[in-house]
Amino acid sequence: QAVPRGPAPRNSASESPIRSKEQDLRQLTTMKFGHLVQLFMPLFCMTAASSGGGLQNQRFHQHMLSADALIGAAVALRNSSSSQEQVAFVEASDAKLVRGAEQRSHSVSAGHSRMAQIRLRVMGLKNSFTALSRRISHQPWELFAVQVTGASFVIASLLFSWACRKNTLNKRQAALKSLEDGALSVVSVELRKSHSALRPHAHSVTLPELERGLCTNIGEARMRSSGIVGLDDPTVARHLVAFGANRMTPPERTSPWILLLQQVFGGLFNVMLWTCVACELVLAFVLDGDDVITPVVLSLVIVASGVLQWWTEQQAEGMMSALQQMQAATLVTTYRLEGGKCVEKALSAEDLIPGDVILLEAGQKVPADVRILDCTDGALVDNSALTGESVAEPRNSSQAPAEQALTEGRNVAFCGTVVLQGRMLCVVFATGDCTLLGEIAAKIRTSRTRSSLEIQIEHFVHIIAIVALAVGVLSLAANIASPRIRGVSEVLENAATAFFAQVPEGLLPTVTVCLMIASKKMARRQVLVRKIDAVETLGCIGILCSDKTGTLTSGQMTATEFVVPCASGTLVEARLQCPEDDWPMEELSRLAQCGVLNSTAKRESSGGFSGSPTESAIAVGCDKLLRGDVEGVQLSHPQAFEIPFHSVSKWMLTIHEVSGPGARPVHYRVVLKGAPERVLEMCSIPQALRSQVAVSLEGLMKQGKRVLCFAEKRLWDIPSGFQFEGASVDSTNFPMDSFDFCGLVALEDPPKVGVLDAVAKIRRAGARTIMVTGDHPSTAEAIARRIGIIRAEDMDEEAGKYLVVTGATLEEHCPPDDRFDKEVMDPAVNPELFAFWDSCVRDTRVFARVSPMHKRTIVRAYQHLGGYITAMTGDGVNDAPALKEAEVGIAMGIRGTEVAKEAADIVLLDDNLQSVVDGIEQGRLCSENLRKSIMYTLCSKLPQVLPTFAELLGVPSALSAAQVLLIDIGTDIWTAIAFAWQPAEEELMTRPPRHPKKDRMVNGQVLLYSYGYIGVVQSLACWLVFMCVMPRMYSLFLEDKHPSEYSILDTEADFAGMTSYYWTLILGQVGAAIAATTSKQSVFRSGGPNKWLFLCIVLELVFGLLVMLWRPAQQAFNTRSLGLYQVCAGGLGFALVGGLEELRKLWLRNRSTPAAVTA
């Protein structure tokens, strides 16, 4: 039914003034009621929707539409004079609301019954208010009462809304959030799809296409007036949901407590040790054994070893996190639209999203992948972190051709690179994981190659498990067949002891302590070891693949030679590193003045120069020749005009005023700098001198140096204030010919100090250094020759073809999926591919112009085809995949990117390659000491188990199970750990590297030494003392008496014999410990045991004497006091082992003469 709008016509004749006043009052009351309804209805409908919780969105919208209809009707009735219509409206609306409340109260669950009661009470309050409004009288106080009641009704509704919302707010918010996320996810998917399609072509699409693809505003963005550019607020919100923050997904990190559990309980060797603990506990508590100390001590040893290794690695991770936090992100100038206006903001790099327009200045790190919209002339970017090239690359805003790769575009800059010179207005087209940096980081999130130590421990555990199991089973059989009658518990205890005795309990703590010592020594040399077992692997490397820029070289361009023409018509080459008195200083000063006048480098407050690497290097060299008078030269020659360097013209020109006495320009000095071939074309130079310049230029470039040419001319008769114009040879308004040749300046990224010596030490250690770089082949080869990577003996005709291999050649011979398995590299299947890579692995010394993926391929080739353990050093993002692939990844701490550090096992905090040599030595020392510790520990295993089998022949008991455990846990384990502090031998760094799969840490030679040599010698000494020195032992053997038939004297004699066997074995182990400290070198020349090993040996002797002489120990371990003669006789074990070992080492030294190891 249509609601009448507007006031009804009033009959003034039939109505009195009082009636008119009553109607006005009723109209006012109705208007007030309409206001209350307008306030209350949205609250009530929102309350109903929220309290329903499970109502569908359709019903919620129906309630809202009903509320809007009621409010609209109430507003329409404000000016109506018909009270009947008002009453009808109130009754209809009231009935509708009551029906809706009843429907909703029936739809709620039992859990919402209390809410339903509250809802009905509020509806009753509303009905009371409606009834009151129908009975409005003419009195003002009644109108006031209606207003108070209405206000109370609104307050009650608010309270009701709060009560219901508190109960169901989470559900409603979750539902709305789900709907919102669903809608945004659809938008996000579409945005990401369009973004992924646009990204590979971001450098070649037109600006309007880029603008549409990124949903941003670019317009005519320029450096001086950015205009209406950037993202508006709604687009920012959508892009934040679609692309997230501008940060790479961090690698998944295992909880430190999980790592601790893995260190304590993980690994095959730990499983074996815990099995021993379990067996000992079963014997002690189930079979009524009496040895509880052994499982407790062994458990403490296992836990302590795991905790120490875990703690060391956690400290390294803490230092790594500190390094990452030190490199705080700088703020980036960003342009966004707010209210239709462009607003400049300073945002952190993480807040950037695709479509943002940003301004980058010299010195800033590029925070994302960007397309350059506008830039100053001569803008330069350092891409060495991505490409490995040390030369800065120019940038411009020109659209790139479609066939050009994104990485080769000059109108883009990538995340992680640095702006060296100029300013750039850019639009972000990729952030986070979608950047080139993020893609490379994603490719290194793979499982790490197993360390050589893990391989060695696994191999050793397999061997020792077989030996221990065999000995345990044989001991069990021997105890059962022994003439001595034993109970079940005693038989099992002896068998378990024999099994337990073969397990070198000290290996685990020895490994941990060795690695911790090596890690601490490396830390003192500014080396952060992130993965503790990487130190041992470093000692096994046969190939060191090293990046050039920042690793082998300093990473800073340096002016090395100034070549100037003399008055005699000849060229003079001045080396800045070797100043001489007969230099032509006038010509050199002229060249130096040209260098500082035609330059964009600026003097810093520290005294150095800022700018591009090339400009800064020239300025530093010229500053030396001018003796620090750079500012004086520049002030006396104010610049009047400049043509910036351009990648097409390859030269830069500046014009300077030369003032006369009246401070008026007398003439102009034009200085030209650029590529020699371009500058010489504009020079007037004699042919003889031109030939000399060509020869000098060729010689410098063969050394891998970058050469720039300088020339100048004077412009006379030019009026003051003349406006110079032009940007090329043909467009200038002044002559561009007849320049005077001033000289050449040679620049290079020089080798680091100490690199030559480090490469030589690596070669003497039997390893090869391979240069893997993205730089130019000629530059890389020149540096490789200077630092000894390429030597004269490597220059035979066949090998010379593969000395330097380029990335283009690698691309032609890359195996499918970088596979180097037998199927792909079978000479019968792919003879050409196999021949190429086989020659590369054998003869190549330099890989140049390689991509990041090429580096990983090279590492795999050396691993699979050459069978080498490889290490990869690097600092850039381009090195990260290879760092991850190599057995040992070594990153630079100063120049290294976070991606490279995250992928590496070792970080050189001072970027010094000499630290790698120290690491190789520490790794070899660690491996050597582990082998010595294992050899020492295994020496006593044979004499420990022989008495069990000797009982089968009627020999009296020579060693009890308790005494075996006493040797293993009481003395041997601590002496074995002390080997970790043993210093290196003389020939350690002249031996070829030990391959963990070919030359095992525990191999047949080690087992033969321990079991077949030292073990036999110790056993011989022990049995000689037991049978010949101790009274009654040989007699008991000849009498063949059963132990049950022993008299008290026989038993005491047997205990004394067991003590002598125990004491002789201890002294034999002392001799083995001292002998194992060296491999070939005499103990008397090496300095003997380290202080901790010496202390353990002394304590071992004291402990042995204590067990023999102390009454409680005698009762616990069945030992007896020995006479002086018997104690001294026990030294036979020490004398035999020590004497035979010195003779063996002397024979080895005479047999082999040290020879230089060639790689």
Side-chain angles (χ1 to χ4, degrees):
Q1 182 178 357
V3 179
R5 300 184 181 278
R10 180 184 297 178
N11 189 355
S12 58
S14 61
E15 293 181 356
S16 64
I18 296 176
R19 181 64 179 169
S20 177
K21 185 176 181 181
E22 290 176 356
Q23 286 188 341
D24 291 341
L25 182 61
R26 187 173 295 276
Q27 282 184 344
L28 180 62
T29 304
T30 304
M31 291 175 64
K32 292 293 185 181
F33 174 73
H35 285 293
L36 292 175
V37 170
Q38 192 172 11
L39 287 172
F40 164 69
M41 287 304 297
L43 294 173
F44 187 83
C45 291
M46 289 294 291
T47 303
S50 63
S51 63
L55 295 177
Q56 302 293 329
N57 289 326
Q58 183 178 2
R59 184 179 297 180
F60 171 75
H61 290 302
Q62 289 176 355
H63 289 319
M64 291 301 297
L65 292 175
S66 299
D68 291 340
L70 289 172
I71 292 170
V75 174
L77 285 172
R78 285 178 183 176
N79 296 324
S80 175
S81 61
S82 175
S83 61
Q84 295 180 353
E85 292 174 352
Q86 295 174 10
V87 171
F89 165 74
V90 170
E91 290 177 349
S93 61
D94 182 51
K96 189 170 184 178
L97 290 173
V98 171
R99 285 197 303 273
E102 291 175 351
Q103 292 174 0
R104 287 187 296 276
S105 65
H106 284 88
S107 65
V108 297
S109 61
H112 293 102
S113 59
R114 184 176 179 84
M115 295 296 106
Q117 293 176 6
I118 297 175
R119 195 182 310 116
L120 291 176
R121 289 180 184 178
V122 176
M123 290 304 303
L125 178 63
K126 189 265 176 187
N127 292 336
S128 300
F129 168 68
T130 304
L132 180 63
S133 65
R134 293 173 184 169
R135 297 194 299 270
I136 294 177
S137 66
H138 307 161
Q139 300 300 324
W141 69 269
E142 292 181 327
L143 178 61
F144 175 75
V146 171
Q147 292 175 337
V148 172
T149 304
S152 302
F153 179 64
V154 172
I155 294 173
S157 300
L158 291 174
L159 293 175
F160 171 63
S161 174
W162 174 82
C164 294
R165 280 170 181 256
K166 184 176 181 182
N167 186 52
T168 60
L169 183 61
N170 292 336
K171 292 183 179 180
R172 191 173 69 85
Q173 285 181 344
L176 294 176
K177 186 71 167 58
S178 177
L179 291 173
E180 182 182 356
D181 291 345
L184 288 175
S185 64
V186 175
V187 177
S188 301
V189 169
E190 295 301 321
L191 280 174
R192 286 194 289 267
K193 284 183 179 178
S194 62
H195 174 263
S196 60
L198 171 68
R199 186 188 173 279
H201 311 287
H203 64 304
S204 58
V205 299
T206 62
L207 291 183
E209 291 174 335
L210 189 66
E211 187 176 37
R212 288 193 299 272
L214 296 175
C215 304
T216 187
N217 299 281
I218 296 176
E220 298 296 327
R222 293 292 180 267
M223 294 286 299
R224 295 179 181 177
S225 58
S226 57
I228 306 300
V229 296
L231 298 170
D232 53 21
D233 290 339
T235 307
V236 169
R238 289 197 300 271
H239 282 203
L240 278 175
V241 174
F243 304 107
N246 178 30
R247 58 172 174 263
M248 290 180 292
T249 303
E252 295 184 3
R253 297 187 183 275
T254 308
S255 168
W257 304 113
I258 299 296
L259 292 175
L260 176 60
L261 292 176
Q262 289 176 351
Q263 291 287 0
V264 175
F265 297 101
L268 191 57
F269 192 70
N270 275 352
V271 171
M272 178 181 289
L273 293 179
W274 284 117
T275 303
C276 294
V277 172
C279 293
E280 290 292 336
L281 291 176
V282 169
L283 291 173
F285 294 102
V286 178
L287 300 178
D288 298 328
D290 57 355
D291 183 17
V292 183
I293 298 176
T294 297
V296 172
V297 172
L298 184 56
S299 300
L300 291 177
V301 168
I302 301 171
V303 173
S305 300
V307 170
L308 283 175
Q309 186 165 346
W310 171 81
W311 178 250
T312 303
E313 292 188 357
Q314 289 302 308
Q315 283 184 320
E317 286 300 318
M319 292 180 64
M320 186 68 188
S321 300
L323 283 175
Q324 294 173 347
Q325 294 173 2
M326 286 172 60
Q327 300 184 351
T330 57
L331 298 179
V332 182
T333 302
T334 310
Y335 298 97
R336 286 184 177 174
L337 297 179
E338 293 184 359
K341 296 182 180 180
C342 182
V343 178
E344 180 180 310
K345 294 185 173 183
L347 301 179
S348 67
E350 287 192 357
D351 295 332
L352 296 179
I353 51 178
D356 269 330
V357 177
I358 63 175
L359 180 66
L360 299 176
E361 301 190 12
Q364 276 190 295
K365 183 176 287 188
V366 180
D369 288 357
V370 297
R371 163 81 179 265
I372 300 173
L373 304 176
D374 189 24
C375 64
T376 57
D377 293 331
L380 295 175
V381 174
D382 179 13
N383 279 343
S384 60
L386 283 175
T387 64
E389 296 191 36
S390 56
V391 179
E393 297 183 6
R395 285 294 179 261
N396 56 58
S397 58
S398 303
Q399 181 180 341
E403 63 273 9
Q404 191 178 51
L406 175 66
T407 54
E408 298 176 359
R410 298 286 185 175
N411 61 347
V412 291
F414 298 103
C415 180
T417 60
V418 180
V419 180
L420 293 178
Q421 182 174 297
R423 304 169 74 230
M424 302 188 302
L425 186 68
C426 316
V427 60
V428 176
F429 68 83
T431 57
D433 291 335
C434 296
T435 61
L436 181 61
L437 182 68
E439 289 181 355
I440 295 175
K443 291 177 181 178
I444 66 174
R445 294 182 191 132
T446 57
S447 59
R448 174 159 300 285
T449 305
R450 295 177 66 197
S451 68
S452 66
L453 186 61
E454 292 174 319
I455 299 172
Q456 298 303 304
I457 295 297
E458 181 178 339
H459 176 260
F460 172 69
V461 169
H462 287 159
I463 293 177
I464 210 66
I466 295 173
V467 173
L469 187 61
V471 170
V473 172
L474 292 175
S475 176
L476 179 65
N479 276 272
I480 294 175
S482 173
R484 180 189 291 269
I485 305 301
R486 294 184 173 93
V488 175
S489 61
E490 189 177 0
V491 169
L492 293 177
E493 182 179 359
N494 289 342
T497 301
F499 171 83
F500 179 74
Q502 301 305 310
V503 178
E505 305 83 5
L507 175 63
L508 195 61
T510 304
V511 170
T512 303
V513 173
C514 277
L515 295 176
M516 286 183 60
I517 292 171
S519 178
K520 289 184 177 180
K521 287 183 178 179
M522 298 292 283
R524 289 196 292 267
R525 296 172 181 174
Q526 295 298 301
V527 178
L528 171 63
V529 181
R530 297 190 61 212
K531 190 70 175 174
I532 191 170
D533 56 0
V535 178
E536 193 276 336
T537 309
L538 189 59
C540 300
I541 66 167
I543 293 293
L544 174 63
C545 295
S546 176
D547 186 41
K548 180 184 76 69
T549 305
T551 307
L552 298 174
T553 62
S554 64
Q556 297 180 349
M557 294 297 291
T558 305
T560 57
E561 286 92 5
F562 281 68
V563 182
V564 293
C566 294
S568 59
T570 60
L571 288 179
V572 175
E573 184 177 292
R575 293 179 175 272
L576 293 185
Q577 292 86 353
C578 306
E580 298 179 7
D581 296 333
D582 57 347
W583 279 356
M585 293 308 301
E586 183 178 348
E587 287 78 4
L588 286 174
S589 178
R590 177 191 178 193
L591 177 58
Q593 288 184 11
C594 293
V596 298
L597 292 176
N598 190 314
S599 176
T600 58
K602 305 296 181 184
R603 174 80 79 174
E604 294 180 332
S605 58
S606 60
F609 290 89
S610 61
S612 72
T614 301
E615 296 286 354
S616 299
I618 294 174
V620 170
C622 294
D623 186 43
K624 293 180 180 178
L625 293 175
L626 294 174
R627 303 181 186 277
D629 192 27
V630 173
E631 289 76 11
V633 174
Q634 292 176 340
L635 289 175
S636 62
H637 295 77
Q639 183 173 306
F641 181 68
E642 176 184 350
I643 300 178
F645 177 85
H646 195 274
S647 58
V648 176
S649 63
K650 295 185 178 180
W651 53 261
M652 173 182 176
L653 180 139
T654 56
I655 300 179
H656 306 267
E657 296 180 358
V658 181
S659 302
R664 294 172 61 93
V666 176
H667 65 275
Y668 291 90
R669 185 175 182 179
V670 184
V671 182
L672 182 65
K673 172 186 70 180
E677 64 273 13
R678 298 296 178 88
V679 174
L680 290 174
E681 290 176 355
M682 293 179 272
C683 290
S684 177
I685 180 174
Q687 186 60 38
L689 183 59
R690 188 181 295 271
S691 300
Q692 294 183 53
V693 171
V695 172
S696 178
L697 182 61
E698 182 181 1
L700 292 172
M701 296 186 71
K702 279 186 177 179
Q703 299 176 33
K705 298 184 179 182
R706 187 184 182 193
V707 183
L708 293 179
C709 184
F710 285 83
E712 70 169 1
K713 68 180 298 183
R714 308 279 176 160
L715 296 179
W716 303 89
D717 300 329
I718 299 294
S720 177
F722 179 77
Q723 295 295 321
F724 294 94
E725 297 177 355
S728 64
V729 175
D730 300 328
S731 63
T732 56
N733 59 352
F734 54 90
M736 288 288 293
D737 56 1
S738 301
F739 279 86
D740 296 329
F741 172 71
C742 295
L744 304 173
V745 177
L747 305 121
E748 70 170 355
D749 181 9
K752 279 186 176 179
V753 177
V755 166
L756 181 62
D757 184 52
V759 171
K761 287 182 178 179
I762 292 172
R763 184 186 305 108
R764 287 195 297 271
R768 270 190 289 161
T769 304
I770 306 297
M771 182 186 292
V772 185
T773 178
D775 219 334
H776 193 275
S778 60
T779 304
E781 182 179 356
I783 294 295
R785 292 182 184 277
R786 291 180 58 185
I787 62 179
I789 291 179
I790 296 179
R791 298 177 296 164
E793 48 265 37
D794 300 327
M795 295 300 295
D796 61 84
E797 183 177 353
E798 187 64 27
K801 299 177 182 178
Y802 292 92
L803 274 180
V804 180
V805 176
T806 63
T809 307
L810 292 179
E811 191 66 34
E812 297 174 358
H813 297 85
C814 272
D817 300 327
D818 284 348
R819 291 171 54 200
F820 286 89
D821 51 28
K822 294 181 179 180
E823 296 178 2
V824 177
M825 286 297 163
D826 189 351
V829 178
N830 294 311
E832 183 180 351
L833 186 64
F834 174 80
F836 172 79
W837 282 106
D838 184 63
S839 299
C840 287
V841 169
R842 186 179 60 253
D843 300 325
T844 302
R845 298 295 183 269
V846 175
F847 292 92
R849 288 292 190 201
V850 295
S851 69
M853 293 301 104
H854 288 156
K855 295 188 175 187
R856 186 171 64 178
T857 304
I858 292 167
V859 170
R860 288 181 176 177
Y862 280 108
Q863 289 173 334
H864 297 282
L865 277 185
Y868 293 103
I869 301 298
T870 60
M872 175 72 191
T873 69
D875 55 3
V877 177
N878 59 332
D879 303 322
L883 290 173
K884 191 80 172 184
E885 187 70 28
E887 281 85 357
V888 183
I890 306 170
M892 302 295 125
I894 299 175
R895 292 176 52 89
T897 60
E898 293 307 313
V899 175
K901 295 175 187 175
E902 192 65 41
D905 303 291
I906 295 174
V907 180
L908 305 182
L909 301 180
D910 57 356
D911 291 7
N912 189 355
L913 192 67
Q914 182 65 39
S915 300
V916 177
V917 180
D918 297 335
I920 294 175
E921 182 178 1
Q922 286 298 320
R924 292 190 176 189
L925 178 60
C926 179
S927 176
E928 192 74 13
N929 286 344
L930 284 177
R931 176 180 282 190
K932 292 175 181 177
S933 176
I934 293 172
M935 289 167 57
Y936 161 77
T937 305
L938 296 181
C939 285
S940 64
K941 303 309 177 185
L942 183 64
Q944 285 178 3
V945 76
L946 282 181
T948 301
F949 299 104
E951 290 182 7
L952 297 175
L953 302 177
V955 177
S957 297
L959 201 65
S960 67
Q963 290 170 351
V964 170
L965 297 176
L966 192 63
I967 294 173
D968 287 342
I969 298 297
T971 56
D972 277 7
I973 187 173
W974 314 113
T975 308
I977 294 173
F979 272 96
W981 283 274
Q982 191 62 25
E985 297 183 51
E986 293 177 350
E987 298 181 0
L988 183 65
M989 288 297 287
T990 59
R991 303 172 189 169
R994 179 184 59 82
H995 197 288
K997 293 183 179 180
K998 299 176 182 177
D999 183 14
R1000 306 282 189 178
M1001 184 185 297
V1002 180
N1003 52 22
Q1005 293 180 348
V1006 172
L1007 296 178
L1008 181 63
Y1009 175 89
S1010 298
Y1011 285 98
Y1013 169 44
I1014 300 296
V1016 170
V1017 173
Q1018 287 183 348
S1019 299
L1020 180 62
C1022 290
W1023 285 116
L1024 283 174
V1025 173
F1026 181 79
M1027 288 293 187
C1028 301
V1029 176
M1030 300 306 298
R1032 294 285 300 157
M1033 287 298 98
Y1034 189 67
S1035 299
L1036 287 175
F1037 171 65
L1038 293 179
E1039 293 173 4
D1040 195 20
K1041 295 176 66 174
H1042 191 277
S1044 60
E1045 301 173 355
Y1046 284 178
S1047 63
I1048 296 177
L1049 293 178
D1050 292 338
T1051 303
E1052 288 296 319
D1054 190 16
F1055 287 167
M1058 293 168 61
T1059 306
S1060 68
Y1061 193 101
Y1062 166 77
W1063 174 246
T1064 306
L1065 182 54
I1066 284 181
L1067 292 179
Q1069 278 295 87
V1070 170
I1074 297 175
T1077 56
T1078 61
S1079 300
K1080 292 182 181 180
Q1081 191 176 358
S1082 172
V1083 173
F1084 301 102
R1085 291 189 57 190
S1086 67
N1090 64 78
K1091 62 179 181 180
W1092 295 109
L1093 182 56
F1094 181 78
L1095 178 61
C1096 287
I1097 290 173
V1098 172
L1099 293 177
E1100 185 173 353
L1101 295 173
V1102 172
F1103 186 76
L1105 292 172
L1106 185 67
V1107 170
M1108 288 192 302
L1109 302 175
W1110 191 35
R1111 179 68 64 179
Q1114 291 178 351
Q1115 296 175 355
F1117 299 106
N1118 294 331
T1119 59
R1120 294 296 182 265
S1121 300
L1122 299 178
L1124 180 60
Y1125 170 72
Q1126 296 166 344
V1127 171
C1128 294
L1132 179 63
F1134 176 82
L1136 281 177
V1137 171
L1140 290 175
E1141 269 294 273
E1142 283 299 311
L1143 292 175
R1144 183 187 68 88
K1145 294 172 185 177
L1146 177 62
W1147 178 73
L1148 287 176
R1149 290 195 300 271
N1150 294 334
R1151 180 186 173 191
S1152 60
T1153 56
V1157 180
T1158 58

